[in-house]
Every structure is written in C-alpha cells, then in structure tokens.
Amino acid sequence: MVIEDFAKGAALGAAAAICLFTGSVQAQSTDGVDIAVTATVAERCGFTSRLASALNVAADLEDANSQDLALRIDCNTPFTISARADSGRLVNRSASDDRSGYAFDKAYGLSVRVDTDAGQIQSGRCLSTELRDGGDCILAQPSGLGSGDGVAIGRDAVVTVDWPSQTTLGRRLAAGQYSDTVTFTIGARA
C-alpha cells in the first residue's frame, strides 16, 4: 500500500506541477512589446565652403551698375540672415578728400533673396548707409531677414549690389580704388 500511495501521490504531484506550469504560461501577456526608438538630427545652418569672398566689378563706378553674387547656404532649420557694412559706403582707398570738389565715397544698394522649400524670401533694397549699426534696413536689424518656416538645404542666397550713375548725384568721383566690406551672418532662428 505504501508504494501504491506513493505512486498516487507522485501522480497527483506531477499533475499539480503541470497545472501550475500551464497556468503560468496562460498568465503571460500575448499583446506584444512596445519599444521606443528615438533619434535626433542636429540643427545646422551656415554658408558652405564654396564662397566667393569678393565682388570685383569691371564697370566704372561712375556708371550705373547692378551685379549678383551667389552665396551657397545649408540650413536644415528655419533661419535668419543679416548684413553689416563696415563703412556704409564705397570709400576711395587710394586717396582721401582733398577739398577738390570731387566725391571720395558713394552709397550703394544691397538686397538678398533666398529660395527656401516654403518659397522665396527677399529683403528688399537696402541703402548701404542703412547697413550700419542701428540702420532701418531689415538686414541690419538684430533679428535679420527670417525664413519663416522655410529651410534652405544646398540653396543660394543671391546678393545684389547696385549703384546709380554718378551723373544723377552731382559731383564726379575722384580717381582711385573704392571698396567696402559687408559681413553676412546666418544662423538658426532662435
């Protein structure tokens, strides 16, 4: 009888173990598993390395002229662009005012347009005298010209520089080499 009771007890124990194992399998979730995957793309905004650093005009400064210069930009986020002129005028670097009656500097116009994926943005024409600190031109403002929601990956910012004929300004220009430096700043919109 002891062997028979042992066998019955072992069978009951095995059956209970199978029930417990089966019960624990049925208790597992069959809904699935959620895995969160996250990644980032860093903001970048700037001029690319393919930049022209000078606009050399072959035309006589006394004649009306307009010339475009393309600056390649790469901004994967909305951005602003601003400009600041050192002198605010084309200044004769070869000679200084000698009271001869000739002009030794000349104002010019400057505008910027950029094609973005949300459309073209454009500054409008700014006088060089307004590209100094405190100037009213949008390019001279601390916030600059904004791209709205647009981005510009591998696109050009086209800068147009122009000036009128000297005959419309009264005085002739003194002979010499004239220049000004305009510094453009571009960055992700804050």
Side-chain angles (χ1 to χ4, degrees), residues 23-31:
S24 66
V25 169
Q26 291 174 349
Q28 288 183 352
S29 172
T30 59
D31 295 340

Side-chain angles (χ1 to χ4, degrees), residues 42-88:
E43 287 182 348
R44 67 178 188 276
C45 189
F47 296 106
T48 65
S49 59
R50 193 197 89 192
L51 288 179
S53 61
L55 182 63
N56 293 314
V57 180
D60 190 326
L61 185 56
E62 289 193 319
D63 297 331
N65 192 29
S66 178
Q67 191 160 348
D68 292 341
L69 175 69
L71 303 174
R72 184 63 103 178
I73 61 174
D74 185 32
C75 294
N76 70 350
T77 187
F79 60 92
T80 60
I81 187 168
S82 59
R84 185 183 181 289
D86 283 352
S87 300

